[in-house]
Amino acid sequence: MTKNYPGDEMSQLNRPGAFRVNIVAGKQEFEEILGVTPREAADAPQADRDDAIAAHPQYGTAGWLSVVNPSSQTETHVRELLDSAYNVAKSRYERRRG
């Protein structure tokens, strides 16, 4: 994401060069990373600072994570989360395809 949407201004994406990576993690990974269940996303770290893994501002309760302006501090973890999300989506696609 590269801009603010109504109700989703917390990440301040209207700043020059700002962007946010959004990743579906699922309940277990969400809880392992943030220490709360997706249902408790309001109590998790929020996407209001750069380079920190946080609950997605709108979809945290569905197990989504986000990182505003990821850099070296979160790069490895973000890549692992993206690989995991890709593998889950690929498996789901292959099951449905038959």
Side-chain angles (χ1 to χ4, degrees):
M1 270 185 74
T2 58
K3 66 179 186 175
N4 290 338
Y5 287 93
D8 188 7
E9 298 89 6
M10 177 186 308
S11 301
Q12 302 172 18
L13 298 178
N14 287 345
R15 296 175 287 155
F19 68 100
R20 185 175 71 214
V21 176
N22 302 314
I23 309 163
V24 64
K27 181 181 178 182
Q28 184 176 343
E29 260 185 315
F30 186 100
E31 189 169 0
E32 287 173 8
I33 293 166
L34 299 182
V36 297
T37 66
R39 199 174 282 192
E40 303 165 311
D43 298 327
Q46 300 299 303
D48 58 356
R49 59 188 189 137
D50 290 351
D51 203 27
I53 298 174
H56 185 281
Q58 300 294 323
Y59 303 111
T61 56
W64 282 75
L65 300 170
S66 63
V67 182
V68 178
N69 295 330
S71 65
S72 60
Q73 182 176 325
T74 55
E75 178 182 5
T76 300
H77 210 162
V78 168
R79 287 182 187 274
E80 291 169 355
L81 287 166
L82 289 169
D83 286 343
S84 177
Y86 170 80
N87 289 327
V88 169
K90 181 179 175 185
S91 295
R92 183 178 299 133
Y93 171 78
E94 290 172 350
R95 275 195 319 271
R96 291 179 180 172
R97 195 172 85 175

